[in-house]
Amino acid sequence: MQAVLLLGPGQLSYQDIPIPQPGADEIVLKIGAALTCGTDLKALLRGHPKMPPPTRFGHEYAGTIAARGARVTTVREGDEVMLVPTGPCGSCFYCQRQQENLCTSLMETYALGGYAEYLTIPARVIRTNLFPKPAGLPFAEAALLEPLSCVVFGLQQTTLRPDDTAVIIGAGAIGLLHLVVLRALGGERVYVIARNPQRAKTAQDLGAYGIIPRSAEEAREAVLDVTAGRGADLVIECTAQPRVWEEALFLARPGGQVILFGGCPSGTAASFDTYRLHYDQVRILSPFHFTPEAVRHAYELLTSGKIPANNLISDTYPLAQLTHAFDLLQRGEGIKYAVVP
Ligand SMILES: [Zn+2]
Ligand SMILES: [Zn+2]
């Protein structure tokens, strides 16, 4: 079968490798579609701590069960499924406290390798984070379950009111996913800070209440203008830059909430205005990954048709053109690309 391997920064390799056989508690998934992700682009450009090379990669995918192990009883060959690539152990300190996103062995069974024809899925994913795919939902849209789970998990940490004003910093894939989830949850006043005109237009089409065409550093006044001088009830940082993390605090109202969503390079630091944290009681949240509860909620949103999933996928390419899809993403073109083996 064809599989794409990441050999090091900037180095992709298309290889012909054997089709895997499932262990007794595993399944082998025939990939229906995989989606590109900013994390994959980062891994390709400069490496990623969770993906040491050489490695298969691609962590947003959906497909059909091609083979199942002897002890797997919950699904059958031929079932079309959607899933996320990790599953918690269920028994460690964090799992017992419903903080499964921090499970100490979460990454040990990380099912990387969506950029291929087949992929083995471990027991822990099958047990917790694998669902039937409705027949009417295309594989590429079903593959949004993983990034949507991250977004839903972050928003679950907040208290939201329908009349809240939210400001999203950044109109890349993750910023736009926040936009569509907030809209699906009934949020009306969702502003997006986006300088790139093409991305701003996309945000508008996806239901943004308004666009603030500035850099994050220059957006403070515009945010105060649209919030009666208070600042936003909820600010969501989606750029993964320490300077923007710092600035995000200044866009929130007293008593407001800030989600610092974008993971910055390790070793970087950000400092915070103590007055804003204490006297203005701005609440900072920094969600990582997702829990099974968030995955279930994301599954319900995605399969209920409340998310305009099709509009988040800019184009579809065969696996052999994965490099081209990443080139487009690097140039800031498109949101997500579907890759079909
Ligand atoms: Zn991703
Ligand atoms: Zn655990």
Side-chain angles (χ1 to χ4, degrees):
M1 69 161 187
Q2 288 298 307
V4 179
L5 273 82
L6 182 60
L7 300 182
Q11 279 183 285
L12 287 187
S13 170
Y14 296 83
Q15 298 191 2
D16 199 11
I17 61 172
I19 295 176
Q21 297 295 316
D25 298 306
E26 298 172 339
I27 59 171
V28 168
L29 189 71
K30 184 179 193 314
I31 302 291
L35 294 175
T36 59
C37 168
T39 304
D40 295 336
L41 182 62
K42 268 194 258 177
L44 173 62
L45 295 178
R46 59 168 194 252
H48 193 281
K50 307 284 188 209
M51 302 182 203
T55 180
R56 289 178 58 181
F57 73 139
H59 59 270
E60 302 177 7
Y61 48 77
T64 307
I65 293 175
R68 65 169 180 177
R71 285 198 293 263
V72 177
T73 55
T74 49
V75 288
R76 282 180 303 194
E77 285 164 23
D79 285 357
E80 296 185 345
V81 294
M82 44 205 284
L83 64 164
V84 294
T86 60
C89 76
S91 57
C92 72
F93 178 91
Y94 300 98
C95 283
Q96 288 182 350
R97 285 159 181 77
Q98 284 70 56
Q99 292 180 306
E100 298 96 333
N101 58 313
L102 300 174
C103 172
T104 49
S105 56
L106 194 66
M107 294 300 164
E108 282 170 24
T109 57
Y110 199 2
L112 287 175
Y115 301 136
E117 288 178 77
Y118 295 90
L119 177 63
T120 305
I121 306 297
R124 276 159 55 161
V125 171
I126 301 168
R127 189 172 62 222
T128 319
N129 285 334
L130 179 135
F131 304 86
K133 182 185 82 62
L137 188 68
F139 285 115
E141 295 178 27
L144 285 168
L145 183 63
E146 196 270 353
L148 275 176
S149 297
C150 295
V151 167
V152 165
F153 177 67
L155 291 173
Q156 281 177 341
Q157 316 305 307
T158 67
T159 51
L160 282 173
R161 287 169 49 125
D163 59 348
D164 275 349
T165 297
V167 169
I168 297 168
I169 310 173
I174 282 293
L176 296 172
L177 278 164
H178 275 97
L179 168 62
V180 296
V181 172
L182 281 169
R183 297 287 286 126
L185 296 176
E188 298 237 325
R189 297 172 61 91
V190 185
Y191 290 86
V192 177
I193 297 177
R195 264 184 312 182
N196 175 327
Q198 198 189 335
R199 295 222 157 145
K201 163 94 171 50
T202 308
Q204 198 106 57
D205 293 345
L206 289 171
Y209 191 81
I211 302 294
I212 299 173
R214 305 269 163 77
S215 69
E217 290 86 347
E218 299 160 345
R220 216 183 281 188
E221 211 179 292
V223 170
L224 292 176
D225 278 351
V226 297
T227 54
R230 282 190 300 267
D233 302 292
L234 174 64
V235 177
I236 306 170
E237 191 287 334
C238 302
T239 72
Q241 296 173 48
R243 268 182 48 224
V244 181
W245 276 37
E246 292 172 350
E247 183 59 30
L249 252 76
F250 291 98
L251 306 184
R253 69 163 167 84
Q257 308 168 84
V258 177
I259 297 179
L260 301 174
F261 191 91
C264 302
S266 44
T268 52
S271 63
F272 295 123
D273 185 291
T274 56
Y275 189 99
R276 290 251 67 198
L277 277 190
H278 183 75
Y279 297 101
D280 283 347
Q281 207 186 305
V282 170
R283 197 168 146 238
I284 297 183
L285 304 154
S286 51
F288 166 71
H289 209 65
F290 42 71
T291 58
E293 191 200 350
V295 180
R296 273 192 303 277
H297 191 184
Y299 176 73
E300 281 158 23
L301 274 179
L302 191 49
T303 54
S304 71
K306 286 185 188 152
I307 303 284
N310 184 40
N311 298 339
L312 296 164
I313 298 164
S314 306
D315 211 342
T316 301
Y317 291 104
L319 185 60
Q321 287 184 40
L322 180 62
T323 313
H324 176 64
F326 281 129
D327 286 345
L328 292 173
L329 280 185
Q330 203 184 341
R331 294 207 296 266
E333 287 176 33
I335 307 169
K336 279 182 171 291
Y337 293 97
V339 178
V340 176

